[in-house]
Amino acid sequence: MRQRITYLYNATDPFDPASLKVTGHSLSLHSLKAAREARLTFGFNELPQELWRVLKQSHELHVRWASPHSYNSTAPFVSRVSPGLHVFFTPRKGISPDLLCGLLRKVFGELKCQTPEKSFTRLSLISERFSTSSAFQYHQPLASLDELTTYLQQKICPSSDNACHDKASTIQSASYLDIDYDTISHALVLNAFWERAPDLGLWNDVFEVVGGKEKVEVGVLASEVPTEPEELKLGGWLTVIGEDEKPSPALFSFPSRHHILTPTSSSTFSVSFIHPTGLHPTLRIQFPSSSNQPPLAEACALHTYLTLPSYLFADRYQLSDPLFLRSKGLRGLRGLYGETDLEAPDWVIGKWGSSMLVEIDVPSDRSTSSWIVDIPLHLRYLAPKSGGGATDVEVPWPVIFWACRAEEGSKMVVNPFDRVNLGYDGLFGPKTMFYHLSPQPVNSSGLLLETMSVPVLDLDKARTIEIGTMAATVLGFLWICWKLWLALGSRRTREQKINRKKAVRRNGLEDRKDNLKVTATVIHDNRIREGQYYEAHQQLRVVASRHVKQKNYNAAIDILFSGAQALLKAGQGGSGGDLCLFLTDIYKSAELKPDSGNKGKLIQLLRLFQPEEPSRKRFIGECIIWSSKFGEYPAGDPELHHVAGTLYAEEHDPYEAERHLILGTKDSPDYLARLEYEWYAEDESHTVPLYAARAVLPYLLIGNLRDATRSLQVFNSRLTETNKSLVAQDASSTTADLRIYPSSPLLNFLGLLLQSVQRGSSDLFRLLKNHYAVYIREVGAWDDALDQIGEMYFGIQIRRQTNPLMDMMGSLFGGPGAGVAGQPQSKRVGGPAPPPPVDLD
């Protein structure tokens, strides 16, 4: 077991380092007024079997508990979560995590957790391509850690170790607690934070190392003024017990995503419910007057993250009206995840509840004394009980923070005190800094919980309600029958309706669709069947153009789609391709969204083109431009890219296939990896890493770690299956799936590169580049891509050197390295052909 104990004292308070007594294998301190963080790291062999079995089912597990009592944050321990127990979990692939909830109930007491599938909700991220956050989330109110203390004393501490029992009991007074495990570190880490000493506010601690079986590091630090806005700076004394004879002075700084605002009244907020609450309560957040000033000059937005139990929910449709949001002091709903069923009562909800991220509309007028924000919520019906009456429920306070974009060039790496997997941090980009506001309870209890009284149905009186409901239903049915009888008895009304329908048909409102079908049928059957393709093509364009002038876009689309299908099936690629291009123009004019119906028409037509048809490539480009303009993907719809890429792959056109599959769906990496392997099979055996890199590096350059990993897995599988004599070693027992090839160092480099990106370790990245530098120089074409990867994932700036003479020559002759026009591209990876670009034509 390893321990790291950190004391954070106020720099203005007097502190004498001589009060730290270091003698042999012990350290003692007395009357120290400071905040404290204790970090304990356990190996697998130090854990009980029941805990070890649960961790073996987990890819990563993060437990966060925050006290319901208000506490003051101390840098660098400033990040917050709502009061209660939070569990963030990602299971291992192919393993059912059936033991987790049972262990949670045993460690933390009575919980509503049944299984992760039934009780957890999926944690949404800004993009699934970044897999740095957990997949599932669970929350439940939990007032204390008494059950955890008992578990640690009985399962972790030896029965004769009184010191261990005393340390475990101190967890009951912690302000927050973190428990972390992941398969990369293969260790269980327990972090606990105390705002101050539990008794008199002064720490009197003694630390001893017995037998050299554990390592204990103690730091007494104070915050200093940092030189960069994204940094935190600490100074003080560090001691490694058993190694240092006296405390060593230390001063260090590090980047941090989480910061605290200047500790003034402007950095606080209070929360309450507007009374009476009823079944549609309104959560009111009150801010002081000066809290509308962002902490940085860069782009900042004020957000609140709410954790709502199952009996409380928000209506996403109500929160989608801009005028309504503005009247409540809100700018927009940025995310709502979990149980959001508007009708279900609480007793049928299986999952824990929901979470919500809302951006707050900060007022520009700074002269007001204070300002408020109202968030409308809704209560579910609670389970009825005998006697009925009212039941009190608790709602945890939300977390409020400024989310600011870091300056260009900031290195946002993980620091020794950083907290991740907080629920809301995965909803923002990797270079976002959070400036937290401190909660300030207005009640005397100092609790960060709001209590509401909810009416509950009395089971003793339910029979009367059932009879009344049945009577109302019968009366309603009789009223409907009476109305139907009146309607059936009025022949005049019925005849008027019939005549009105005939008039509508005479006016052409009903005949328009029939005429459209007749026109299309005549052209298809008569012209195309007789081989008069040109006449059919022109007539279809004329009819469609008339509908476009009348803004009857649906009719025009139906005509062009059916006509293009018929012409393409008849082998008339030129005429059919022209109608397809006309169809994309109408999509743009009508501003149609790339939904499944609109994309389906384009995909059907795309599959009917002959490979040698020149208009097909332009049609693909127009489809991508339309989807990028009216869809949510700036580079074009992934499904369209995937279909185009697979068509090119089937036609053995690897360059075009690569350009589209890189931007495709989650199924695209399999096609791309198989394409690259088939391409490699025609080349020499030592070129295998060059072809694998064409599937891995482009995905990394667009920020898609998931598909880069999948591509390498598929490529390696094909390589192993088709080369039985190839020596390969599996190294996947403690981390991710990794296969080592002694005969191909660069192929090993690609696998280790993905691991370093997943871990976010710049030191490991530099070590990899240095270790494989000789092989990388032999390739020559990877340098720019690796430099960009270093800058994207590890904050390693690219050194850009300029040469005025070369700049001038480049502007005159097309830039250094410009190819010769008309020279055919080589299909060999080792040749001059560059990697496939990310953008299109």
Side-chain angles (χ1 to χ4, degrees):
M1 181 178 68
R2 301 192 304 273
Q3 297 186 52
R4 186 191 74 192
I5 313 298
T6 307
Y7 295 91
L8 275 301
Y9 69 93
N10 195 328
T12 60
D13 293 338
F15 174 74
D16 184 5
S19 62
L20 298 175
K21 304 298 183 180
V22 181
T23 57
H25 295 279
S26 67
L27 179 146
S28 62
L29 53 86
H30 302 283
S31 302
L32 177 60
K33 182 181 180 181
R36 173 186 169 185
E37 187 236 23
R39 178 186 177 94
L40 284 70
T41 305
F42 299 91
F44 259 28
N45 58 345
E46 300 174 290
L47 301 176
Q49 183 180 8
E50 60 182 355
L51 182 56
W52 178 83
R53 291 173 59 195
V54 172
L55 297 182
K56 290 293 288 183
Q57 295 181 346
S58 308
H59 178 71
E60 57 179 326
L61 175 65
H62 307 279
V63 179
R64 306 283 181 259
W65 177 84
S67 171
H69 297 277
S70 176
Y71 67 91
N72 294 322
S73 300
T74 302
F77 310 109
V78 298
S79 58
R80 290 179 176 268
V81 294
S82 295
L85 179 68
H86 304 256
V87 182
F88 303 96
F89 172 67
T90 300
R92 298 193 69 175
K93 292 183 178 179
I95 298 179
S96 177
D98 54 347
L99 303 176
L100 176 61
C101 284
L103 180 64
L104 291 176
R105 291 194 298 269
K106 189 171 185 180
V107 174
F108 294 102
E110 188 62 31
L111 303 178
K112 294 173 62 177
C113 182
Q114 300 179 15
T115 63
E117 292 82 0
K118 295 180 180 179
S119 303
F120 282 55
T121 59
R122 178 168 291 276
L123 187 65
S124 296
L125 310 175
I126 187 173
S127 173
E128 292 186 0
R129 292 177 175 178
F130 295 93
S131 57
T132 57
S133 295
S134 302
F136 298 97
Q137 176 184 10
Y138 175 82
H139 170 266
Q140 182 163 330
L142 187 66
S144 67
L145 296 176
D146 295 341
E147 294 292 335
L148 174 62
T149 300
T150 303
Y151 182 85
L152 293 177
Q153 292 174 341
Q154 295 178 354
K155 296 294 185 179
I156 304 297
C157 296
S159 57
S160 60
D161 192 346
N162 294 329
C164 182
H165 284 253
D166 294 339
K167 289 181 181 178
S169 63
T170 61
I171 293 180
Q172 296 177 346
S173 60
S175 300
Y176 70 74
L177 174 76
D178 294 345
I179 301 175
D180 296 280
Y181 168 80
D182 61 76
T183 55
I184 297 177
S185 63
H186 217 59
L188 183 71
V189 180
L190 186 147
N191 278 300
F193 173 78
W194 292 263
E195 174 194 7
R196 59 180 178 273
D199 296 330
L200 301 177
L202 300 176
W203 296 101
N204 297 282
D205 293 335
V206 178
F207 302 95
E208 294 182 351
V209 176
V210 181
K213 295 183 179 180
E214 60 180 350
K215 180 178 180 180
V216 181
E217 180 181 1
V218 180
V220 182
L221 308 172
S223 295
E224 305 282 347
V225 179
T227 56
E228 300 293 338
E230 73 273 9
E231 290 185 345
L232 294 177
K233 190 174 184 181
L234 299 176
W237 292 267
L238 299 177
T239 306
V240 179
I241 301 177
E243 298 181 9
D244 298 337
E245 297 179 356
K246 61 179 182 179
S248 303
L251 179 65
F252 55 94
S253 61
F254 47 85
S256 177
R257 294 188 69 187
H258 297 277
H259 300 261
I260 190 171
L261 292 172
T262 305
T264 63
S265 61
S266 64
S267 62
T268 63
F269 68 94
S270 60
V271 174
S272 62
F273 278 103
I274 299 178
H275 291 279
T277 57
L279 291 177
H280 304 279
T282 298
L283 184 72
R284 171 161 290 182
I285 306 175
Q286 187 166 0
F287 300 90
S289 58
S290 56
S291 60
N292 57 356
Q293 302 179 16
L296 296 179
E298 300 293 330
C300 293
L302 187 62
H303 292 78
T304 178
Y305 184 76
L306 293 88
T307 303
L308 305 177
S310 60
Y311 43 76
L312 197 64
F313 68 96
D315 184 353
R316 68 169 67 249
Y317 305 103
Q318 182 184 28
L319 296 176
S320 62
D321 184 356
L323 294 178
F324 176 79
L325 290 173
R326 193 176 301 118
S327 67
K328 300 297 182 180
L330 305 175
R331 183 176 293 272
L333 177 64
R334 301 302 178 224
L336 180 58
Y337 317 105
E339 285 290 354
T340 57
D341 193 316
L342 304 182
E343 303 295 337
D346 183 57
W347 63 85
V348 302
I349 298 296
K351 300 187 181 300
W352 67 268
S354 59
S355 56
M356 178 170 63
L357 178 67
V358 181
E359 183 178 348
I360 297 175
D361 188 12
V362 180
S364 58
D365 185 9
R366 301 180 180 179
S367 61
T368 57
S369 59
S370 63
W371 52 286
I372 60 175
V373 169
D374 291 337
I375 301 178
L377 301 173
H378 308 275
L379 281 165
R380 300 187 187 277
Y381 292 115
L382 301 185
K385 63 180 181 178
S386 180
T391 299
D392 290 338
V393 296
E394 293 181 338
V395 181
W397 279 31
V399 178
I400 299 181
F401 52 85
W402 286 93
C404 302
R405 185 179 66 244
E407 294 182 355
E408 195 70 26
S410 299
K411 298 180 180 180
M412 305 303 295
V413 297
V414 177
N415 66 65
F417 306 101
D418 203 6
R419 296 176 77 197
V420 295
N421 289 281
L422 303 174
Y424 54 84
D425 54 342
L427 303 175
F428 295 87
K431 288 195 174 183
T432 302
M433 293 193 298
F434 302 95
Y435 288 83
H436 294 267
L437 278 70
S438 300
Q440 187 177 39
V442 295
N443 50 39
S444 58
S445 63
L447 294 178
L448 303 181
L449 296 171
E450 292 299 314
T451 303
M452 289 188 299
S453 182
V454 182
V456 177
L457 175 64
D458 186 357
L459 284 176
D460 301 333
K461 301 178 180 179
R463 184 62 178 173
T464 304
I465 297 176
E466 292 177 356
I467 295 175
T469 304
M470 185 179 299
T473 304
V474 172
L475 291 175
F477 176 74
L478 294 176
W479 180 82
I480 292 174
C481 292
W482 176 56
K483 286 294 184 180
L484 290 175
W485 180 78
L486 291 178
L488 293 175
S490 179
R491 295 186 57 86
R492 180 178 300 176
T493 303
R494 186 165 65 241
E495 290 175 356
Q496 290 177 351
K497 290 181 179 179
I498 295 174
N499 293 334
R500 191 179 300 114
K501 288 183 178 180
K502 291 181 178 179
V504 170
R505 291 193 184 96
R506 283 195 299 269
N507 292 331
L509 297 178
E510 293 291 337
D511 292 340
R512 185 178 302 171
K513 293 183 180 179
D514 296 336
N515 292 336
L516 172 61
K517 294 179 180 178
V518 171
T519 302
T521 303
V522 170
I523 294 175
H524 294 174
D525 294 346
N526 297 343
R527 300 294 186 185
I528 298 179
R529 184 180 301 172
E530 296 172 1
Q532 300 179 14
Y533 304 116
Y534 177 78
E535 291 78 1
H537 173 210
Q538 294 302 317
Q539 288 184 10
L540 288 168
R541 285 192 64 94
V542 170
V543 175
S545 298
R546 291 175 181 173
H547 286 291
V548 170
K549 290 181 180 179
Q550 299 172 1
K551 297 189 181 300
N552 189 4
Y553 296 117
N554 291 334
I557 289 172
D558 290 341
I559 290 175
L560 293 177
F561 174 65
S562 59
Q565 272 188 316
L567 288 172
L568 290 174
K569 290 179 180 178
Q572 300 301 307
S575 298
D578 178 71
L579 295 184
C580 290
L581 294 173
F582 192 7
L583 180 63
T584 59
D585 291 339
I586 296 177
Y587 273 28
K588 297 174 186 176
S589 300
E591 298 182 356
L592 298 181
K593 299 294 183 182
D595 55 24
S596 58
N598 295 328
K599 289 189 298 183
K601 289 183 173 65
L602 301 182
I603 292 174
Q604 289 184 49
L605 295 175
L606 179 57
R607 296 186 185 279
L608 294 176
F609 276 90
Q610 296 296 324
E612 65 275 4
E613 172 55 44
S615 61
R616 184 182 70 168
K617 184 175 182 179
R618 183 183 171 191
F619 176 58
I620 294 175
E622 292 297 325
C623 294
I624 299 300
I625 292 173
W626 161 72
S627 66
S628 65
K629 184 175 182 181
F630 299 101
E632 57 179 320
Y633 299 97
D637 187 81
E639 187 176 357
L640 293 175
H641 278 297
H642 177 75
V643 173
T646 53
L647 288 177
Y648 283 124
E650 293 170 358
E651 298 162 9
H652 304 289
D653 190 349
Y655 290 116
E656 293 295 334
E658 287 175 335
R659 295 168 60 187
H660 291 284
L661 291 175
I662 290 298
L663 299 172
T665 64
K666 63 180 181 180
D667 298 324
S668 299
D670 291 35
Y671 284 88
L672 180 59
R674 288 195 292 267
L675 170 68
E676 301 295 354
Y677 185 81
E678 292 172 0
W679 196 5
Y680 150 72
E682 301 175 1
D683 207 339
E684 299 177 5
S685 61
H686 69 275
T687 62
V688 58
L690 305 182
Y691 290 90
R694 295 184 73 90
V696 174
L697 297 182
Y699 275 127
L700 289 179
L701 290 175
I702 63 173
N704 192 343
L705 175 60
R706 180 198 66 188
D707 290 350
T709 304
R710 177 60 183 170
S711 296
L712 187 60
Q713 291 175 347
V714 175
F715 189 93
N716 287 344
S717 298
R718 293 293 301 275
L719 180 65
T720 306
E721 292 171 0
T722 56
N723 296 272
K724 300 299 184 181
S725 61
L726 181 65
V727 178
Q729 302 173 357
D730 290 329
S732 58
S733 60
T734 58
T735 60
D737 295 333
L738 185 62
R739 184 163 292 175
I740 302 300
Y741 299 91
S743 61
S744 182
L746 284 180
L747 195 58
N748 301 333
F749 169 77
L750 293 175
L752 294 171
L753 174 63
L754 294 176
Q755 294 299 312
S756 65
V757 171
Q758 183 177 3
R759 296 178 61 180
S761 173
S762 59
D763 294 336
L764 178 57
F765 177 72
R766 291 190 178 95
L767 180 62
L768 280 176
K769 288 189 65 177
N770 292 335
H771 182 74
Y772 291 93
V774 176
Y775 303 103
I776 295 175
R777 281 197 297 269
E778 292 179 358
V779 177
W782 290 8
D783 295 334
D784 291 340
L786 293 177
D787 289 342
Q788 294 181 46
I789 291 171
E791 187 174 50
M792 288 175 58
Y793 295 95
F794 309 104
I796 302 174
Q797 292 294 318
I798 300 176
R799 294 184 178 179
R800 296 177 174 86
Q801 299 181 356
T802 60
N803 187 319
L805 178 59
M806 291 300 295
D807 291 344
M808 180 181 67
M809 296 296 292
S811 64
L812 291 175
F813 300 105
V820 179
Q823 191 174 12
Q825 285 185 319
S826 171
K827 279 196 174 184
R828 297 180 59 83
V829 176
V838 175
D839 56 350
L840 297 176
D841 291 338

